Amino acid sequence: KTHFEQFQMMALRLLLVFGFCVPLANCGDITCNSNRQCRQTTMDCTDNEDCTINCSGSESCEFGTINCPINGNCIVQCTNTQSCRGTTINAQPDTSLDVTCSAGSSTDGEQADGACSIAIINGNTNTNMNIKCSAGSSCWGATIDGRYASQLTMEDCETGYYTCYDITVWCPQNVKGNKRCIIQGDNSVGGEDDTNEWDIKLYAVNSWRDIEFQTPSKTGDYYGTMYCTTGILS
């Protein structure tokens, strides 16, 4: 056998014995638990089954691409500093996408340490999207595109300073007055001044009729920009 064939056999034995999936492979679950293990790689979930991607090492999935399964639900866990920084996550139609971003920093100047800072999270037609940002700066600068989703919920933008600062959110339209874009949080969601630096950017065809803010303890940092009309759908 050639060296390449021997390597293939060895890799297959490792998969069978230890039951894990290596980066760049098509597999049900993907684990990137070492620092930079899956950095700048493409991770393709296996179609027709649910998929969980664990990015638990520092910078483990940074600037990578995660393609969720067709006909399968998708869970992405980003649990270390910069673990999904700049990562692109692509959902599929008629599925659910749950993203948890649970690491970051509340120190000024270290916003990019957030688990999902400057990430790009793309929904699809009728995707049920749940994005949880549960640490300071964890979703700082992220873009969440749910314009065609069946539901978009952003949870927990209240657990640390800068948690959801400078985010860009594309909301789905309401259906018969029922809002399908839910944003939860406190002063950690929004913007702190009128310079447009770190301000929230909202895209909603029907303006405030599409968005429900659940922010009972919010007392400030309301700065941001709303873009509306059907032109934003193109």
Side-chain angles (χ1 to χ4, degrees):
K1 295 182 179 179
T2 66
H3 289 300
F4 180 72
E5 289 172 327
Q6 291 174 341
F7 173 79
Q8 284 184 312
M9 291 298 297
M10 182 177 67
L12 178 60
R13 290 192 189 100
L14 285 172
L15 288 171
L16 292 174
V17 172
F18 294 104
F20 65 86
C21 178
V22 295
L24 303 180
N26 287 79
C27 33
D29 292 334
I30 300 172
T31 298
C32 303
N33 53 17
S34 300
N35 294 350
R36 296 194 166 197
Q37 181 178 353
C38 305
R39 188 177 188 272
Q40 294 182 322
T41 65
T42 297
M43 292 153 273
D44 294 318
C45 291
T46 300
D47 294 337
N48 302 308
E49 60 181 81
D50 295 343
C51 182
T52 298
I53 302 96
N54 290 301
C55 300
S56 56
S58 177
E59 302 177 26
S60 52
C61 300
E62 184 182 37
F63 295 115
T65 299
I66 296 172
N67 294 316
C68 291
I70 298 172
N71 296 324
N73 297 320
C74 193
I75 297 173
V76 182
Q77 301 277 355
C78 306
T79 58
N80 209 326
T81 54
Q82 300 183 17
S83 54
C84 295
R85 178 176 181 263
T87 301
T88 298
I89 302 172
N90 297 315
Q92 300 296 337
D94 303 305
T95 59
S96 68
L97 171 62
D98 292 275
V99 181
T100 297
C101 308
S102 58
S105 172
S106 292
T107 303
D108 193 10
E110 296 181 0
Q111 291 81 7
D113 283 348
C116 299
S117 62
I118 63 172
I120 299 172
I121 303 173
N122 296 315
N124 212 310
T125 305
N126 293 326
T127 306
N128 187 346
M129 301 177 67
N130 293 281
I131 316 300
K132 187 172 184 178
C133 306
S134 57
S137 75
S138 56
C139 292
W140 177 81
T143 297
I144 297 95
D145 189 345
R147 73 186 86 180
Y148 299 117
S150 60
Q151 179 86 12
L152 169 59
T153 302
M154 288 200 64
E155 303 179 48
D156 215 13
C157 290
E158 56 187 349
T159 51
Y161 208 43
Y162 306 126
T163 305
C164 295
Y165 264 39
D166 199 30
I167 59 171
T168 299
V169 181
W170 297 74
C171 286
Q173 297 182 63
N174 74 78
V175 175
K176 296 181 179 179
N178 294 316
K179 297 178 179 180
R180 299 186 296 157
C181 186
I182 313 299
I183 301 177
Q184 302 172 352
D186 58 10
N187 291 347
S188 293
V189 57
E192 62 182 0
D193 57 40
D194 58 0
T195 64
N196 292 323
E197 183 180 16
W198 300 358
D199 293 353
I200 189 171
K201 301 164 198 63
L202 300 170
Y203 290 78
V205 170
N206 304 295
S207 186
W208 299 114
R209 292 188 295 276
D210 290 335
I211 305 173
E212 178 180 337
F213 277 95
Q214 298 177 355
T215 54
S217 61
K218 189 171 179 63
T219 59
D221 295 350
Y222 291 101
Y223 289 97
T225 304
M226 167 80 76
Y227 301 89
C228 47
T229 77
T230 54
I232 68 174
L233 295 176
S234 59

XYZ file of all heavy atoms in Angstrom, residues 94-198:
771
model
N -35.925 25.149 6.523
C -36.858 24.285 7.259
C -36.161 23.468 8.343
O -36.478 22.296 8.565
C -37.601 23.352 6.294
C -38.344 24.128 5.219
O -39.147 25.002 5.580
O -38.107 23.865 4.027
N -35.195 24.072 9.019
C -34.479 23.410 10.105
C -34.394 24.384 11.276
O -34.882 25.512 11.215
C -33.063 23.003 9.682
O -32.340 24.175 9.288
C -33.086 22.015 8.521
N -33.754 23.949 12.363
C -33.485 24.863 13.468
C -31.982 25.054 13.609
O -31.193 24.144 13.349
C -34.080 24.333 14.776
O -33.403 23.176 15.216
N -31.607 26.252 14.043
C -30.211 26.581 14.296
C -30.109 27.189 15.686
O -30.744 28.217 15.970
C -29.687 27.572 13.261
C -28.297 28.174 13.542
C -27.227 27.089 13.566
C -27.955 29.260 12.531
N -29.340 26.543 16.565
C -29.108 27.051 17.910
C -27.612 27.329 18.069
O -26.795 26.415 17.950
C -29.563 26.035 18.958
C -31.075 25.855 18.969
O -31.752 26.643 19.637
O -31.563 24.926 18.300
N -27.273 28.578 18.349
C -25.879 28.974 18.531
C -25.721 29.528 19.938
O -26.453 30.439 20.339
C -25.441 30.026 17.496
C -23.973 30.406 17.703
C -25.662 29.517 16.072
N -24.765 28.981 20.694
C -24.467 29.478 22.033
C -23.064 30.069 22.043
O -22.097 29.410 21.657
C -24.558 28.346 23.081
O -25.902 27.851 23.116
C -24.181 28.866 24.465
N -22.970 31.323 22.491
C -21.691 32.032 22.576
C -21.482 32.396 24.041
O -22.100 33.332 24.541
C -21.728 33.280 21.708
S -22.265 32.981 19.997
N -20.634 31.650 24.735
C -20.604 31.751 26.200
C -19.231 32.090 26.758
O -18.889 31.681 27.869
C -21.104 30.438 26.812
O -20.314 29.338 26.388
N -18.442 32.852 26.017
C -17.143 33.303 26.532
C -16.841 34.673 25.959
O -17.291 35.022 24.864
C -16.030 32.320 26.162
N -16.082 35.470 26.727
C -15.732 36.791 26.248
C -15.036 37.602 27.314
O -14.502 37.061 28.286
N -15.074 38.913 27.136
C -14.415 39.821 28.066
C -15.218 41.100 28.147
O -15.771 41.565 27.152
C -12.987 40.137 27.614
O -12.419 41.150 28.409
N -15.315 41.672 29.338
C -15.979 42.959 29.511
C -14.976 44.095 29.637
O -15.321 45.210 30.006
C -16.881 42.913 30.746
O -17.973 42.045 30.532
N -13.714 43.808 29.338
C -12.673 44.818 29.444
C -12.606 45.657 28.167
O -12.561 45.108 27.069
C -11.305 44.152 29.689
O -11.388 43.353 30.868
C -10.222 45.195 29.855
N -12.625 46.948 28.314
C -12.549 47.838 27.158
C -11.271 47.560 26.376
O -10.185 47.438 26.937
C -12.575 49.296 27.611
C -12.815 50.248 26.455
O -13.146 49.774 25.357
O -12.691 51.461 26.660
N -11.403 47.429 25.062
C -10.256 47.129 24.220
C -10.073 45.659 23.934
O -9.250 45.282 23.100
N -10.858 44.808 24.594
C -10.734 43.369 24.388
C -12.043 42.767 23.875
O -12.333 41.602 24.085
C -10.308 42.675 25.689
C -8.926 43.099 26.172
C -8.494 42.387 27.436
O -9.276 41.553 27.933
O -7.383 42.651 27.922
N -12.840 43.598 23.169
C -14.129 43.119 22.683
C -13.983 41.936 21.733
O -14.837 41.064 21.675
C -14.886 44.266 21.990
C -15.357 45.356 22.937
C -14.262 46.341 23.288
O -13.168 46.320 22.737
N -14.553 47.223 24.231
N -12.893 41.903 20.972
C -12.703 40.834 19.992
C -12.427 39.487 20.641
O -12.321 38.484 19.949
C -11.577 41.182 19.026
N -12.289 39.441 21.974
C -12.113 38.162 22.652
C -13.404 37.360 22.714
O -13.401 36.195 23.090
C -11.603 38.382 24.087
C -10.126 38.716 24.127
O -9.460 38.547 23.090
O -9.643 39.141 25.184
N -14.524 37.983 22.378
C -15.810 37.310 22.464
C -15.861 36.036 21.641
O -15.296 35.947 20.552
N -16.562 35.043 22.159
C -16.647 33.742 21.489
C -17.169 33.868 20.064
O -16.700 33.170 19.166
C -17.528 32.797 22.300
N -18.135 34.743 19.851
C -18.727 34.910 18.515
C -18.560 36.330 17.996
O -19.359 36.790 17.165
C -20.203 34.540 18.541
S -20.539 32.827 19.003
N -17.537 37.027 18.450
C -17.322 38.386 17.957
C -17.078 38.348 16.447
O -16.425 37.456 15.928
C -16.146 39.046 18.669
O -14.944 38.341 18.436
N -17.674 39.301 15.759
C -17.639 39.481 14.295
C -17.989 38.204 13.520
O -17.605 38.046 12.366
C -16.306 40.080 13.796
C -15.106 39.184 14.059
C -16.075 41.456 14.401
C -13.806 39.700 13.384
N -18.721 37.296 14.151
C -19.205 36.105 13.432
C -20.326 36.504 12.470
O -20.972 37.553 12.632
C -19.713 35.069 14.421
N -20.564 35.668 11.484
C -21.660 35.862 10.525
C -22.547 34.628 10.608
O -22.116 33.518 10.287
C -21.129 36.054 9.099
C -20.227 37.290 9.029
C -22.284 36.189 8.108
C -19.504 37.454 7.706
N -23.772 34.824 11.062
C -24.699 33.710 11.280
C -25.859 33.873 10.310
O -26.661 34.803 10.426
C -25.188 33.682 12.734
C -23.985 33.593 13.688
C -26.146 32.512 12.965
C -24.344 33.736 15.155
N -25.938 32.974 9.343
C -26.916 33.086 8.261
C -28.042 32.076 8.440
O -27.808 30.864 8.429
C -26.241 32.842 6.910
C -25.201 33.894 6.576
O -25.441 35.086 6.755
N -24.046 33.471 6.095
N -29.246 32.583 8.591
C -30.407 31.711 8.547
C -30.756 31.382 7.107
O -30.033 31.723 6.169
N -31.888 30.713 6.944
C -32.337 30.341 5.610
C -33.858 30.370 5.618
O -34.477 30.765 6.610
C -31.799 28.955 5.233
C -31.529 28.805 3.749
O -32.389 29.112 2.934
N -30.337 28.348 3.390
N -34.485 29.936 4.554
C -35.938 29.972 4.486
C -36.553 29.086 5.575
O -36.247 27.893 5.662
C -36.416 29.501 3.104
O -35.790 30.292 2.096
C -37.928 29.631 2.985
N -37.357 29.685 6.424
C -38.066 28.983 7.504
C -37.134 28.347 8.538
O -37.502 27.375 9.202
C -39.010 27.910 6.936
C -40.158 28.519 6.158
O -40.649 29.594 6.500
N -40.580 27.853 5.094
N -35.938 28.889 8.698
C -35.066 28.438 9.783
C -35.570 29.014 11.108
O -35.904 30.194 11.188
C -33.618 28.905 9.572
O -33.163 28.499 8.284
C -32.697 28.317 10.637
N -35.614 28.187 12.135
C -35.905 28.660 13.490
C -34.563 28.940 14.162
O -33.822 28.018 14.488
C -36.695 27.596 14.259
C -37.166 28.100 15.611
O -36.699 29.129 16.102
N -38.084 27.389 16.221
N -34.250 30.222 14.369
C -32.926 30.629 14.833
C -32.976 31.071 16.295
O -33.771 31.932 16.668
C -32.394 31.781 13.976
C -32.275 31.465 12.497
S -31.730 32.920 11.539
C -30.050 33.141 12.148
N -32.082 30.486 17.107
C -31.924 30.893 18.498
C -30.440 31.181 18.730
O -29.612 30.268 18.645
C -32.410 29.800 19.451
C -33.908 29.593 19.377
O -34.677 30.362 19.943
N -34.332 28.549 18.670
N -30.128 32.429 19.034
C -28.740 32.850 19.244
C -28.610 33.320 20.694
O -29.293 34.268 21.100
C -28.338 33.992 18.292
C -28.829 33.725 16.854
C -26.836 34.208 18.346
C -28.304 32.475 16.224
N -27.763 32.647 21.460
C -27.597 32.991 22.878
C -26.223 33.591 23.095
O -25.203 32.963 22.802
C -27.782 31.755 23.758
C -27.785 32.069 25.243
C -28.172 30.851 26.063
C -28.278 31.195 27.545
N -28.711 30.031 28.359
N -26.205 34.809 23.636
C -24.952 35.534 23.877
C -24.826 35.730 25.388
O -25.433 36.639 25.955
C -24.979 36.877 23.164
S -25.358 36.769 21.389
N -24.054 34.890 26.046
C -24.119 34.826 27.506
C -22.800 35.160 28.191
O -22.471 34.596 29.227
C -24.599 33.441 27.948
O -23.762 32.420 27.438
N -22.042 36.109 27.628
C -20.815 36.588 28.283
C -20.472 37.955 27.715
O -20.891 38.311 26.605
C -19.661 35.615 28.076
N -19.716 38.735 28.463
C -19.316 40.044 27.987
C -18.608 39.966 26.649
O -17.700 39.157 26.468
N -19.048 40.760 25.700
C -18.501 40.861 24.335
C -18.675 39.586 23.514
O -18.106 39.461 22.432
C -17.014 41.264 24.355
O -16.175 40.195 24.737
N -19.466 38.635 24.006
C -19.549 37.335 23.320
C -20.075 37.440 21.896
O -19.700 36.645 21.035
C -20.414 36.360 24.123
O -21.698 36.889 24.359
N -20.958 38.408 21.624
C -21.488 38.571 20.270
C -21.149 39.940 19.690
O -21.799 40.402 18.743
C -22.994 38.353 20.262
S -23.498 36.645 20.605
N -20.136 40.580 20.225
C -19.765 41.918 19.777
C -19.438 41.914 18.274
O -18.667 41.090 17.784
C -18.527 42.398 20.549
C -18.005 43.730 20.116
C -18.466 44.951 20.476
C -16.916 43.963 19.211
N -17.733 45.942 19.865
C -16.778 45.357 19.078
C -16.061 43.114 18.510
C -15.812 45.934 18.271
C -15.094 43.686 17.697
C -14.973 45.081 17.590
N -20.102 42.812 17.545
C -19.807 42.960 16.124
C -20.339 41.862 15.234
O -20.027 41.830 14.037
N -21.167 40.968 15.777
C -21.678 39.846 14.972
C -22.778 40.313 14.023
O -23.461 41.310 14.264
C -22.211 38.749 15.884
N -22.940 39.571 12.934
C -24.038 39.786 11.991
C -24.944 38.570 12.020
O -24.480 37.446 11.807
C -23.506 40.005 10.562
O -22.702 41.200 10.538
C -24.649 40.151 9.572
N -26.223 38.790 12.290
C -27.199 37.703 12.348
C -28.246 37.968 11.281
O -28.988 38.952 11.344
C -27.850 37.593 13.744
C -26.799 37.260 14.812
C -28.928 36.526 13.736
C -26.258 38.458 15.529
N -28.297 37.117 10.278
C -29.191 37.314 9.138
C -30.355 36.323 9.215
O -30.227 35.159 8.857
C -28.427 37.126 7.831
C -29.251 37.540 6.613
O -30.481 37.705 6.737
O -28.651 37.699 5.528
N -31.482 36.819 9.703
C -32.673 35.981 9.806
C -33.815 36.509 8.962
O -34.977 36.274 9.277
N -33.506 37.206 7.873
C -34.566 37.886 7.110
C -35.601 36.913 6.544
O -36.758 37.280 6.353
C -33.942 38.736 6.006
C -33.387 37.965 4.841
C -32.656 38.858 3.868
N -31.265 39.042 4.250
C -30.403 39.780 3.549
N -30.803 40.423 2.471
N -29.147 39.868 3.935
N -35.207 35.657 6.286
C -36.164 34.673 5.760
C -36.485 33.582 6.785
O -37.098 32.568 6.451
C -35.607 34.036 4.488
C -35.350 35.041 3.379
C -34.073 35.264 2.889
C -36.400 35.788 2.840
C -33.838 36.194 1.880
C -36.178 36.723 1.838
C -34.894 36.926 1.358
O -34.670 37.855 0.371
N -36.068 33.776 8.026
C -36.285 32.766 9.068
C -37.751 32.713 9.481
O -38.511 33.677 9.317
C -35.406 33.080 10.279
N -38.145 31.578 10.053
C -39.493 31.486 10.615
C -39.555 32.201 11.955
O -40.602 32.709 12.355
C -39.895 30.021 10.787
O -39.004 29.340 11.661
N -38.411 32.248 12.659
C -38.314 32.934 13.947
C -36.847 33.226 14.207
O -35.979 32.389 13.949
C -38.869 32.064 15.067
C -38.798 32.663 16.455
C -39.982 33.559 16.798
O -40.989 33.560 16.080
N -39.881 34.319 17.868
N -36.566 34.411 14.740
C -35.216 34.758 15.182
C -35.303 35.276 16.606
O -35.976 36.274 16.873
C -34.593 35.819 14.272
C -33.286 36.464 14.779
C -32.207 35.413 15.008
C -32.802 37.544 13.819
N -34.618 34.576 17.517
C -34.571 35.005 18.911
C -33.127 35.191 19.326
O -32.316 34.274 19.188
C -35.240 33.976 19.839
O -36.601 33.772 19.428
C -35.230 34.460 21.283
N -32.816 36.374 19.826
C -31.501 36.642 20.407
C -31.670 36.698 21.917
O -32.375 37.560 22.442
C -30.920 37.939 19.874
C -30.478 37.848 18.427
S -29.308 39.167 18.018
C -27.918 38.755 19.071
N -31.019 35.774 22.616
C -31.190 35.642 24.051
C -29.978 36.164 24.824
O -28.854 36.095 24.353
C -31.386 34.169 24.439
C -32.540 33.465 23.770
C -32.606 32.017 24.207
O -32.526 31.753 25.426
O -32.716 31.158 23.329
N -30.274 36.656 26.025
C -29.248 36.835 27.063
C -28.235 37.925 26.762
O -27.091 37.848 27.233
C -28.524 35.502 27.295
C -28.128 35.322 28.756
O -28.630 36.087 29.589
O -27.324 34.433 29.043
N -28.613 38.948 26.005
C -27.690 40.067 25.772
C -27.686 40.978 26.997
O -27.997 42.172 26.920
C -28.108 40.851 24.530
S -27.868 39.988 22.968
N -27.350 40.404 28.130
C -27.444 41.155 29.379
C -26.487 40.631 30.446
O -26.607 40.968 31.622
C -28.880 41.083 29.924
C -29.390 39.670 30.131
C -30.853 39.615 30.496
O -31.425 40.685 30.796
O -31.434 38.528 30.490
N -25.548 39.791 30.076
C -24.719 39.137 31.080
C -23.330 39.744 31.193
O -22.485 39.235 31.905
C -24.587 37.643 30.764
O -24.181 37.496 29.409
C -25.892 36.925 30.965
N -23.078 40.820 30.490
C -21.769 41.459 30.573
C -21.711 42.637 29.624
O -22.442 42.703 28.635
N -20.861 43.579 29.910
C -20.765 44.764 29.068
C -20.292 44.390 27.662
O -19.501 43.461 27.482
C -19.801 45.749 29.713
C -20.087 47.190 29.374
C -21.400 47.673 29.371
C -19.068 48.065 29.052
C -21.671 48.988 29.064
C -19.327 49.400 28.746
C -20.633 49.853 28.745
O -20.892 51.164 28.434
N -20.809 45.114 26.678
C -20.478 44.916 25.256
C -21.038 43.610 24.680
O -20.710 43.259 23.554
C -18.955 44.917 25.019
C -18.210 46.118 25.527
C -17.121 45.974 26.378
C -18.568 47.399 25.129
C -16.412 47.080 26.843
C -17.869 48.514 25.591
C -16.798 48.344 26.446
O -16.097 49.434 26.893
N -21.855 42.893 25.423
C -22.302 41.567 24.976
C -22.816 41.586 23.540
O -22.420 40.771 22.711
C -23.391 41.021 25.902
O -22.907 41.034 27.241
C -23.762 39.593 25.526
N -23.729 42.493 23.247
C -24.329 42.568 21.906
C -24.153 43.957 21.301
O -25.020 44.445 20.572
C -25.799 42.176 21.963
S -26.094 40.465 22.434
N -23.027 44.595 21.594
C -22.724 45.879 20.967
C -22.318 45.661 19.510
O -21.754 44.627 19.145
C -21.558 46.547 21.700
C -21.981 47.554 22.745
C -23.083 47.327 23.565
C -21.278 48.736 22.922
C -23.466 48.235 24.528
C -21.643 49.657 23.885
C -22.745 49.405 24.685
O -23.115 50.317 25.637
N -22.631 46.663 18.699
C -22.167 46.706 17.300
C -22.697 45.539 16.470
O -22.100 45.164 15.473
C -20.631 46.738 17.257
C -20.102 47.248 15.922
O -20.787 48.063 15.288
O -19.019 46.818 15.504
N -23.813 44.942 16.896
C -24.369 43.830 16.130
C -25.218 44.349 14.971
O -25.751 45.456 15.010
C -25.211 42.874 17.007
C -26.379 43.626 17.664
C -24.339 42.194 18.045
C -27.362 42.705 18.359
N -25.322 43.535 13.944
C -26.206 43.795 12.818
C -27.219 42.662 12.758
O -26.831 41.485 12.712
C -25.420 43.866 11.502
O -24.470 44.940 11.575
C -26.350 44.099 10.319
N -28.504 42.999 12.793
C -29.561 41.985 12.833
C -30.522 42.211 11.679
O -31.089 43.300 11.527
C -30.332 42.022 14.170
C -31.403 40.932 14.199
C -29.372 41.875 15.351
N -30.690 41.169 10.874
C -31.692 41.168 9.801
C -32.892 40.371 10.307
O -32.783 39.172 10.557
C -31.129 40.531 8.532
C -29.961 41.260 7.932
C -28.677 41.304 8.396
C -29.968 42.043 6.738
N -27.883 42.057 7.581
C -28.647 42.538 6.546
C -30.950 42.380 5.803
C -28.288 43.334 5.468
C -30.590 43.177 4.725
C -29.283 43.650 4.559
N -34.025 41.034 10.440
C -35.204 40.421 11.059
C -36.179 39.858 10.027
O -36.347 40.438 8.945
C -35.949 41.455 11.897
S -35.124 41.875 13.442
N -36.868 38.766 10.366
C -37.975 38.313 9.518
C -39.185 39.231 9.697
O -39.335 39.890 10.732
C -38.266 36.902 10.052
C -37.838 36.948 11.488
C -36.663 37.883 11.534
N -40.030 39.266 8.696
C -41.230 40.086 8.781
C -42.259 39.457 9.718
O -42.309 38.237 9.884
C -41.841 40.259 7.397
C -40.950 40.996 6.413
C -41.622 41.192 5.080
O -42.648 41.874 4.971
N -41.045 40.609 4.032
N -43.074 40.299 10.304
C -44.169 39.796 11.132
C -45.192 39.053 10.268
O -45.265 39.275 9.054
C -44.831 40.932 11.906
C -45.703 41.819 11.007
O -46.828 41.474 10.653
N -45.159 42.982 10.629
N -45.940 38.181 10.889
C -47.010 37.463 10.201
C -48.333 37.824 10.882
O -48.551 37.502 12.056
C -46.788 35.938 10.251
C -47.979 35.200 9.631
C -45.514 35.564 9.514
N -49.159 38.559 10.176
C -50.450 39.004 10.705
C -50.295 39.703 12.057
O -51.069 39.494 12.987
C -51.410 37.826 10.813
C -51.764 37.190 9.471
C -52.740 36.035 9.617
C -53.084 35.450 8.269
N -54.031 34.295 8.371
N -49.249 40.499 12.155
C -49.019 41.271 13.363
C -48.210 40.564 14.422
O -47.827 41.176 15.433
N -47.933 39.274 14.234
C -47.130 38.532 15.203
C -45.649 38.720 14.890
O -45.154 38.284 13.838
C -47.484 37.046 15.168
C -48.892 36.773 15.636
O -49.335 37.322 16.640
N -49.623 35.926 14.902
N -44.926 39.356 15.807
C -43.513 39.640 15.594
C -42.689 38.358 15.709
O -42.917 37.544 16.604
C -43.036 40.679 16.613
C -43.743 42.018 16.467
C -43.291 43.013 17.519
C -43.990 44.356 17.341
N -43.556 45.352 18.360
N -41.737 38.223 14.794
C -40.917 37.003 14.769
C -39.432 37.302 14.968
O -38.590 36.424 14.758
C -41.138 36.259 13.450
C -42.582 35.808 13.237
C -42.708 34.952 12.000
N -42.375 35.696 10.798
C -41.966 35.133 9.652
N -41.815 33.819 9.577
N -41.703 35.876 8.594
N -39.130 38.510 15.398
C -37.756 38.910 15.688
C -37.719 39.394 17.139
O -38.230 40.474 17.453
C -37.323 40.014 14.731
S -35.583 40.492 14.864
N -37.141 38.583 18.017
C -37.147 38.850 19.452
C -35.719 39.110 19.902
O -34.828 38.277 19.670
C -37.732 37.664 20.253
C -39.035 37.167 19.624
C -37.911 38.050 21.713
C -40.141 38.179 19.579
N -35.496 40.244 20.541
C -34.164 40.594 21.050
C -34.271 40.846 22.548
O -34.994 41.757 22.978
C -33.586 41.818 20.325
C -33.479 41.541 18.814
C -32.218 42.176 20.889
C -32.995 42.712 17.998
N -33.559 40.022 23.318
C -33.594 40.125 24.771
C -32.294 40.742 25.275
O -31.216 40.476 24.730
C -33.765 38.739 25.408
C -35.004 37.998 24.954
C -35.032 36.566 25.456
O -34.071 36.070 26.022
N -36.163 35.903 25.256
N -32.376 41.554 26.330
C -31.148 42.097 26.885
C -31.365 43.289 27.785
O -32.478 43.579 28.225
N -30.276 44.005 28.062
C -30.325 45.225 28.858
C -29.429 46.256 28.183
O -29.429 46.363 26.948
C -29.931 44.950 30.317
C -28.533 44.342 30.457
O -27.782 44.302 29.451
O -28.181 43.909 31.567
N -28.631 46.977 28.925
C -27.768 47.987 28.322
C -26.642 47.392 27.477
O -25.905 48.130 26.820
C -27.172 48.893 29.405
C -28.212 49.784 30.055
O -29.322 49.907 29.547
N -27.880 50.387 31.182
N -26.509 46.079 27.498
C -25.471 45.420 26.698
C -25.901 45.190 25.256
O -25.156 44.626 24.468
C -25.086 44.083 27.338
O -24.446 44.298 28.573
N -27.124 45.606 24.921
C -27.562 45.563 23.528
C -27.945 46.974 23.125
O -28.697 47.654 23.808
C -28.729 44.575 23.324
C -29.919 44.912 24.210
C -29.170 44.536 21.866
N -27.387 47.444 22.017
C -27.646 48.803 21.586
C -26.368 49.517 21.206
O -25.446 48.916 20.660
N -26.292 50.802 21.524
C -25.108 51.599 21.253
C -25.004 52.702 22.284
O -26.008 53.169 22.816
N -23.797 53.145 22.554
C -23.619 54.038 23.695
C -23.512 55.516 23.335
O -23.528 56.368 24.207
C -22.384 53.622 24.500
C -21.075 53.709 23.738
C -19.896 53.228 24.575
O -20.098 52.828 25.725
O -18.770 53.278 24.053
N -23.386 55.874 22.056
C -23.316 57.293 21.708
C -23.791 57.473 20.274
O -24.201 56.528 19.611
C -21.905 57.856 21.897
C -20.852 57.097 21.091
O -21.145 56.735 19.936
O -19.751 56.873 21.626
N -23.775 58.716 19.801
C -24.311 59.024 18.473
C -23.235 59.100 17.404
O -23.415 59.710 16.357
C -25.092 60.338 18.525
C -24.248 61.511 18.996
O -23.054 61.286 19.284
O -24.782 62.632 19.077
N -22.098 58.459 17.626
C -21.016 58.475 16.634
C -21.103 57.307 15.666
O -20.263 57.170 14.787
C -19.651 58.429 17.338
O -19.527 57.178 18.037
C -19.516 59.586 18.319
N -22.106 56.434 15.848
C -22.281 55.213 15.060
C -21.220 54.162 15.348
O -21.175 53.120 14.686
C -22.305 55.495 13.549
C -23.546 56.266 13.139
O -24.621 56.029 13.685
N -23.407 57.184 12.211
N -20.364 54.405 16.316
C -19.381 53.414 16.704
C -20.021 52.431 17.675
O -20.522 52.816 18.728
C -18.170 54.076 17.359
C -17.069 53.085 17.722
C -15.876 53.775 18.367
O -16.014 54.928 18.797
O -14.809 53.138 18.436
N -20.044 51.172 17.304
C -20.586 50.094 18.123
C -22.103 50.133 18.243
O -22.683 49.420 19.053
C -19.961 50.077 19.515
C -18.490 49.882 19.538
C -17.663 49.673 18.470
C -17.645 49.871 20.685
N -16.371 49.534 18.880
C -16.319 49.657 20.231
C -17.877 50.024 22.044
C -15.241 49.585 21.100
C -16.796 49.962 22.905
C -15.489 49.737 22.449
